[in-house]
Amino acid sequence: MSAVLYSFRRCPYAIRARYTLATLMLRVEIREVVLKHKPAALLALGGRSTVPQLLVDGDRFPESLDIIFWALKTSSNDDLVNQLWPTDPIVRAKIMSWIRFNDYCFKPWLDRYKYADRHPEQSESYYRDKGERFLKRLDTRLKHSTNLLGEQMTIADIAIFPFIRQFAGVNASWFEGSGYVYLQEWLNRILKSECFETVMVKLTAWDESQDVSYFPEPRRAQELLIQN
Ligand SMILES: N[C@@H](CCC(=O)N[C@@H](CS)C(=O)NCC(=O)O)C(=O)O
């Protein structure tokens, strides 16, 4: 199998795709993209050239969630797959509803909060208040369990945490003083994990002349295997 992932280190969509691949120990060739200078090979695919994108033996997975579901389908670790994406249709519906809320309701406010100077029609704190509604919902949920759908991590946690990380990063002292202690604990736990360290490995921008890089790095993959 040949699998190539176009990625961008800081992109929250790419982070959730890489976190899933690393959790499931699926190794891909990784190509780090500079968004302002997208490589010709990515542009040549045609259509949307957003990252992350995964190419597997001629099939194209152009969205982070496509990549997450490809990983779940491809992994042979059934126990972990069942944990991340439980078979119960009610749990699945809840997972998708959290992710959709994040992607379609929270993300637009996150963007405005992050780049408030580009959206002068309202103040930064107005955008933060709008985003904070989601933080409150998450915090209330996390008061009752370690992760969003219970004790075990699911793809809801993986798909959402990179966006909360960004929100927290806009004004770290505000986030630390915000009182969302359950949310903070949840985020910190993920950010301190070996898996996150693996996910955030620094790579130079890809060009065609470069040697192939793999994600997770072979050494890291071995370490993760030992920990699991
Ligand atoms: N819905 C897409 C969104 C991906 C996305 O917007 N990625 C951004 C980087 S964080 C990007 O590629 N921006 C460059 C562009 O839009 O051309 C997904 O889930 O993968």
Side-chain angles (χ1 to χ4, degrees):
M1 177 185 75
S2 130
V4 174
L5 178 73
Y6 286 96
S7 184
F8 171 48
R9 185 171 177 272
R10 287 186 290 115
C11 165
Y13 298 100
I15 291 175
R16 72 190 185 184
R18 296 199 306 275
Y19 200 99
T20 308
L21 293 170
T23 301
L24 290 169
M25 301 286 301
L26 292 169
R27 172 103 35 88
V28 296
E29 177 184 338
I30 189 161
R31 296 178 177 178
E32 177 70 11
V33 171
V34 175
L35 294 180
K36 282 188 185 147
H37 305 284
K38 290 180 181 168
L42 173 61
L43 295 171
L45 296 172
R48 297 186 54 179
S49 59
T50 52
V51 291
Q53 299 226 14
L54 180 71
L55 304 174
V56 186
D57 295 335
D59 288 328
R60 182 177 182 187
F61 301 86
E63 296 267 336
S64 52
L65 290 182
D66 298 337
I67 300 168
I68 290 174
F69 283 108
W70 172 83
L72 292 168
K73 211 172 134 203
T74 304
S75 170
S76 53
N77 187 339
D78 296 341
D79 289 345
L80 197 46
V81 168
N82 285 335
Q83 178 204 303
L84 294 174
W85 182 235
T87 48
D88 182 342
I90 296 172
V91 177
R92 286 190 172 185
K94 284 184 183 165
I95 290 176
M96 289 318 293
S97 129
W98 277 109
I99 297 177
R100 280 196 206 99
F101 196 92
N102 176 77
D103 289 12
Y104 300 109
C105 304
F106 174 67
K107 173 72 163 68
W109 294 120
L110 164 63
D111 289 343
R112 286 174 178 76
Y113 174 42
K114 210 171 144 206
Y115 302 111
D117 52 334
R118 297 184 201 165
H119 300 276
E121 50 294 354
Q122 297 291 349
S123 65
E124 185 186 278
S125 63
Y126 173 90
Y127 297 130
R128 187 173 66 202
D129 287 352
K130 294 285 187 186
E132 212 182 323
R133 292 177 188 181
F134 187 48
L135 268 55
K136 267 190 198 128
R137 282 185 60 185
L138 292 168
D139 192 62
T140 304
R141 185 71 199 87
L142 291 164
K143 191 173 179 171
H144 303 289
S145 57
T146 310
N147 287 293
L148 285 171
L149 273 296
E151 290 313 302
Q152 306 278 24
M153 186 179 238
T154 68
I155 60 164
D157 304 280
I158 296 177
I160 292 171
F161 90 81
F163 298 86
I164 304 305
R165 171 179 176 265
Q166 274 200 345
F167 197 92
V170 176
N171 183 341
S173 53
W174 175 85
F175 184 71
E176 276 154 28
S178 66
Y180 297 120
V181 289
Y182 304 102
L183 183 66
Q184 286 165 359
E185 263 176 39
W186 169 84
L187 183 64
N188 284 335
R189 198 176 338 108
I190 300 174
L191 300 187
K192 284 186 186 141
S193 67
E194 276 292 325
C195 189
F196 186 69
E197 200 186 315
T198 300
V199 162
M200 296 309 281
V201 67
K202 283 193 177 145
L203 298 167
T204 51
W206 178 77
D207 73 57
E208 315 226 351
S209 66
Q210 220 173 64
D211 285 346
V212 171
S213 298
Y214 289 100
F215 175 87
E217 283 178 316
R219 184 180 61 84
R220 285 273 173 203
Q222 201 52 43
E223 284 168 10
L224 288 173
L225 200 61
I226 290 163
Q227 280 173 16
N228 287 335

